[in-house]
Every structure is written in structure tokens, then in C-alpha cells.
Amino acid sequence: MTSLLGKRSAKIVATLLLALVASNHAVCNAFSLKSPSLAAGAGGTVCRGAPLYAAGVFGGLFGKKQTEDPNAPKRIFDVPVDSIKMGGLRFALGLHLIGQQGNPEKGTWKANEASDGILDMYFKDETGMFSVAMSENSISVDRYGPRPSLQYLLQESVLLHDFLDELQTLAFEGDDIEDENRLLKPKDGAIEKARESLPARKA
């Protein structure tokens, strides 16, 4: 009887494991980077989903600590806002990022707006990318890729300083723009605080 129960338990665990693997595969296919070589170069598919390894999830059933997925995004900064005009800001920032594709040279970056409205920036060496997401409360920037190159990190910093400059311009510059017509109203000091999370800008 005990042997029979053991076999049934093992079969249930195996079935659950297969279901989870299939689910994670579907999630990664739905949200994976559009550049297949980027995922391969990073040592596995980088995707905006599946934050835990399957082994980590099932390890928790047997008293083992869950293991975080190295492909999970790293939050670079948040810019909290008091108000935001989502459609207009997404359009303006999308144009800005498109204009940054050739910084510092043509082909360095590739901009893309995903179906979920998130703005993605892919780097030429395919070791990493960053994404810009907007909500009613904040603008968030996340990095994807478990082992981004030094070149990627340097160029990411340059682009994100420029990105914060653009937010500053949209939020505060232009005396002829009424406050209620601004695309965003950051909370006091939010842009400066976000900039502190980046490496210092070259003089």
C-alpha cells in the first residue's frame, strides 16, 4: 500500500513538473526578446515572465529554498509621478528612443514598442536590453539579460541620462505650456533621485 502511494505521489509531481515547464515555455515564447541570438548569447531565453526556475518552485515543496531566475529583470530606477498622460507620453518617449538608435553610432540600438505598450531598447551586442514601462503612478526602467557586457552598461548609462533629460524637458521646460497640459508631473526630486542610481555622467 505504501509503495502504491509513493508511486502515485511521484506520478503527480512529475505531471505537475511537466505542466509547469510547458507553461514557462509558453510564457517565454509570448514575451521573449525578438532577437533569438540575444537569448542564446545570454545563455538562455530572456523574457518578461517566469521569475523562478521550475526546480526552485518544486524545491519549495520539499523544504528547499526557491531559486531566483537570473533572467529576471533588474529594476534600474522608478520615477514616481503625481499625474501622467499615458498615450501622449508613450508617443513622445517612443520618438525620443527612436532618435537614440544611432547613439553613439548607427546600429547601436534598436527601439521597439511591444504589444503591451512597453518600450524596449535592444543593444547591438545582444547581451542585454532595457524596457520602459508606464503606469498611473510611475515610469519604470528595467534591464534584461543575466550577463550584460561592459560596453552595454556604458551605453545604457548614456541613454538613460538622456532619457531623464527628456523627462525633465517634458515636465518642466517651455513657459507657454500650462501645468495641466504637461505630459507628466514627477513627484518632487523624483528625476534627480533616479539619476543617482546611474553611473556619473561624463563631463
Side-chain angles (χ1 to χ4, degrees):
M1 183 68 176
T2 302
S3 176
L4 180 59
L5 288 175
K7 289 181 180 179
R8 287 181 177 176
S9 297
K11 186 175 181 180
I12 290 171
V13 171
T15 301
L16 289 173
L17 181 58
L18 289 172
L20 181 63
V21 170
S23 175
N24 281 349
H25 182 266
V27 170
C28 287
N29 282 343
F31 296 99
S32 62
L33 299 177
K34 290 181 174 57
S35 171
S37 53
L38 174 58
T45 301
V46 181
C47 60
R48 289 193 250 120
L52 296 174
Y53 284 121
V57 174
F58 278 96
L61 296 176
F62 299 99
K64 295 182 180 179
K65 188 177 180 180
Q66 291 182 343
T67 304
E68 291 188 2
D69 186 346
N71 286 327
K74 172 183 173 59
R75 177 60 49 89
I76 302 175
F77 59 71
D78 284 303
V79 179
V81 298
D82 288 323
S83 67
I84 188 172
K85 297 185 186 300
M86 198 81 69
L89 184 61
R90 182 179 292 114
F91 180 74
L93 293 180
L95 288 180
H96 171 75
L97 292 176
I98 287 172
Q100 294 291 311
Q101 292 180 117
N103 184 2
E105 61 186 16
K106 183 178 180 181
T108 299
W109 295 94
K110 181 180 179 182
N112 178 71
E113 181 175 350
S115 59
D116 52 8
I118 293 178
L119 304 173
D120 295 326
M121 286 292 279
Y122 303 93
F123 192 59
K124 63 180 182 180
D125 73 1
E126 302 181 337
T127 64
M129 62 166 285
F130 69 84
S131 294
V132 179
M134 285 161 275
S135 71
E136 296 295 334
N137 301 313
S138 70
I139 301 164
S140 304
V141 176
D142 291 328
R143 178 189 302 137
Y144 290 81
R147 292 184 295 277
S149 66
L150 177 60
Q151 185 183 20
Y152 169 83
L153 294 173
L154 292 172
Q155 295 304 323
E156 177 195 75
S157 176
V158 171
L159 250 65
L160 291 181
H161 274 295
D162 288 345
F163 178 81
L164 291 174
D165 288 345
E166 183 69 9
L167 291 183
Q168 181 83 17
T169 298
L170 294 171
F172 302 112
E173 296 185 12
D175 295 335
D176 56 336
I177 303 176
E178 299 292 335
D179 285 347
E180 60 268 23
N181 294 327
R182 294 284 182 182
L183 294 179
L184 75 155
K185 294 180 183 178
K187 291 188 177 294
D188 291 343
I191 293 178
E192 291 75 16
K193 184 176 180 180
R195 201 181 294 279
E196 291 173 0
S197 67
L198 301 175
R201 174 182 258 166
K202 289 185 179 179

